[in-house]
Amino acid sequence: MKKMMMLAMTLFAVVAVSAQNEEGMSSIMPKVGLNLATLAGDKDAKFLPTYVGGFEYEYGMSDQLGLLAGVLYSEQGEKDNVNDLTLRLGYVNVPLMVQYYPVKGLALKAGAQLGFLVSKKAKVDGTKIDIDRLEAFGYPKDFRKFDLAIPMGISYEIANIMLDVRYNLGLIGIFKKNAGYDETYRNSVLQFTLGYRIQFDN
């Protein structure tokens, strides 16, 4: 876990430092928004409305190309209709993305995202249960402490206010290797955020 966190912060620092050595504009964007989260691979899953918030840093390589790195707290998970079970997983996500601007204000983006599991909660019929009891509802109780995803999306900016729509596709299973669950259940998150760009010269 500590090694993964150090790797993520190192990657973030590399993007920021390299940006400062190039000509162009830099900006920081505080942002907050809504997640519609579920687990790919669970046929009984339903989207769970949750929240996301944090900030992203962007360096403009040119008028049409930018590099972006961020730190976001994202609540993910799912709603299981069969057991009336709600699973909430809190991640610190570190997206590293390339942004392409076909026209001013409109950006297409894609990249990679590391995620670090920092909290896990479950409720059945609205009552909180211990994570160790998940096995009684057909879930393993052992979660991976990190996640890897591909974020891709589109954003539009007007007057420094940015609306971002993004889909985060999980690449690895959220549970540790366990018979039938090794790569079955993966995070799948549709994300809507509103941010404000604070721009400055390098």
Side-chain angles (χ1 to χ4, degrees):
M1 178 67 173
K2 290 182 179 179
K3 290 181 179 179
M4 293 298 295
M5 287 292 287
M6 289 179 63
L7 174 62
M9 295 310 295
T10 300
L11 290 173
F12 182 83
V14 166
V15 172
V17 170
S18 65
Q20 292 171 1
N21 292 332
E22 297 285 345
E23 294 183 0
M25 300 295 291
S26 297
S27 59
I28 293 177
M29 290 165 284
K31 58 191 303 184
V32 65
L34 169 73
N35 284 341
L36 294 179
T38 189
L39 296 179
D42 186 353
K43 66 181 186 300
D44 299 316
K46 179 181 178 182
F47 279 115
L48 176 68
T50 63
Y51 61 90
V52 60
F55 73 92
E56 292 181 328
Y57 170 90
E58 182 182 3
Y59 171 70
M61 296 287 291
S62 69
D63 289 343
Q64 291 187 303
L65 195 64
L67 297 178
L68 181 147
V71 177
L72 305 169
Y73 180 80
S74 178
E75 189 176 74
Q76 299 168 195
E78 71 164 12
K79 173 78 172 178
D80 187 322
N81 285 333
V82 173
N83 298 306
D84 195 20
L85 184 145
T86 301
L87 181 63
R88 295 180 181 272
L89 305 174
Y91 286 88
V92 174
N93 287 333
V94 181
L96 304 169
M97 306 177 72
V98 175
Q99 299 202 129
Y100 171 69
Y101 293 87
V103 296
K104 185 176 180 180
L106 180 67
L108 306 176
K109 59 194 71 185
Q113 177 175 275
L114 293 174
F116 305 95
L117 183 64
V118 295
S119 70
K120 45 188 184 291
K121 301 175 183 177
K123 287 185 178 181
V124 175
D125 293 327
T127 302
K128 185 178 178 179
I129 66 168
D130 191 278
I131 289 295
D132 289 342
R133 291 187 56 203
L134 282 176
E135 290 179 311
F137 299 93
Y139 293 82
K141 63 179 180 180
D142 296 321
F143 290 80
R144 280 199 172 113
K145 293 183 178 180
F146 68 92
D147 188 42
L148 179 63
I150 296 178
M152 44 195 161
I154 186 170
S155 64
Y156 186 73
E157 179 181 352
I158 183 169
N160 286 13
I161 297 174
M162 181 177 294
L163 174 63
D164 187 300
V165 181
R166 194 176 298 182
Y167 176 63
N168 297 323
L169 173 65
L171 297 180
I172 60 177
I174 67 168
F175 297 110
K176 291 182 179 179
K177 287 190 175 181
N178 192 324
Y181 288 96
D182 51 336
E183 299 298 333
T184 303
Y185 289 1
R186 293 171 285 109
N187 281 305
S188 176
V189 183
L190 183 60
Q191 191 172 92
F192 304 86
T193 60
L194 194 64
Y196 184 78
R197 183 188 296 273
I198 302 170
Q199 192 162 285
F200 52 91
D201 292 317
N202 287 330

